Amino acid sequence: MPEHSSTYRTTCADAEATRELGAALGRNASPGTTVLLQGDLGAGKTVFAQGVGRGLDAPTVVNSPTFVLVNEHLGGRLPMRHADLYRLDDLDLIAELGLDQAAEGGVLLVEWPERGQAALPADHIRVQITPLEEDPSEDALDASPRELLLTASGEQAESLLQLLTEQFALATA
């Protein structure tokens, strides 16, 4: 278990603000950064991942990797691997993906990490995304506010979260 753990909370007014926070994380990420994205379907996990890709100057479109399990975005400041464990429930199969090593030399984003926590790096930032409007329509989702709860576990994640809080003055949870 990592010895460091800090938690910060902020509200993003809409999808673009969520992308901007993700972009800030991407700009400040170092090799080995792991980000675990949690939230209901449509909460904004992929939106946050798009921001991280923007912050890393990823030259490819960041979409949800639900059906391919892991997308690689190469050619930016750091390589980015984006995994989605939604369709998986077998820890052995998740372990075979090698996500515990996928962040080496780059950034790893994992949607639905609760399905394979034991197979993921212990040093990570967990981003819990919660829409603040009950059941926003598909059309209103981009304009809906969401709360983001960021929790750092481990020294590298702690340092990154500290940089983000200094830049954005996130309120302590």
Side-chain angles (χ1 to χ4, degrees):
M1 182 61 81
E3 48 188 80
H4 300 282
S5 182
S6 294
T7 303
Y8 297 92
R9 180 183 314 268
T10 190
T11 299
C12 292
D14 55 22
E16 187 53 32
T18 303
R19 277 187 203 92
E20 279 304 311
L21 183 57
L25 189 148
R27 284 190 299 274
N28 289 287
S30 58
T33 296
T34 298
V35 182
L36 308 181
L37 299 166
Q38 288 186 284
D40 292 337
L41 286 170
K45 297 179 295 296
T46 300
V47 169
F48 190 89
Q50 290 168 344
V52 175
R54 180 189 296 170
L56 291 169
D57 296 321
T60 52
V61 175
V62 176
N63 289 320
S64 178
T66 301
F67 296 105
V68 295
L69 303 180
V70 180
N71 283 336
E72 287 191 318
H73 302 278
L74 307 175
R77 184 175 66 79
L78 294 171
M80 181 175 109
R81 290 165 190 88
H82 181 196
D84 187 326
L85 305 181
Y86 182 74
R87 294 179 36 236
L88 301 177
D89 57 10
D90 181 338
L91 188 55
D92 290 334
L93 181 60
I94 293 169
E96 287 179 24
L97 293 174
L99 297 177
D100 56 337
Q101 299 168 1
E104 291 178 9
V107 175
L108 171 65
L109 304 175
V110 181
E111 296 188 30
W112 302 96
E114 60 275 18
R115 295 182 181 263
Q117 188 67 50
L120 300 174
D123 190 312
H124 60 264
I125 291 182
R126 181 177 308 277
V127 180
Q128 175 69 46
I129 304 173
T130 307
L132 295 177
E133 293 179 10
E134 278 191 44
D135 300 323
S137 70
E138 198 66 38
D139 295 335
L141 199 55
D142 277 352
S144 297
R146 17 180 97 70
E147 180 180 82
L148 280 75
L149 179 64
L150 292 84
T151 304
S153 294
E155 291 183 36
Q156 182 177 15
E158 183 82 25
S159 295
L160 178 55
L161 190 55
Q162 184 63 40
L163 282 171
L164 289 174
T165 60
E166 289 170 4
Q167 289 178 11
F168 288 93
L170 299 175
T172 302

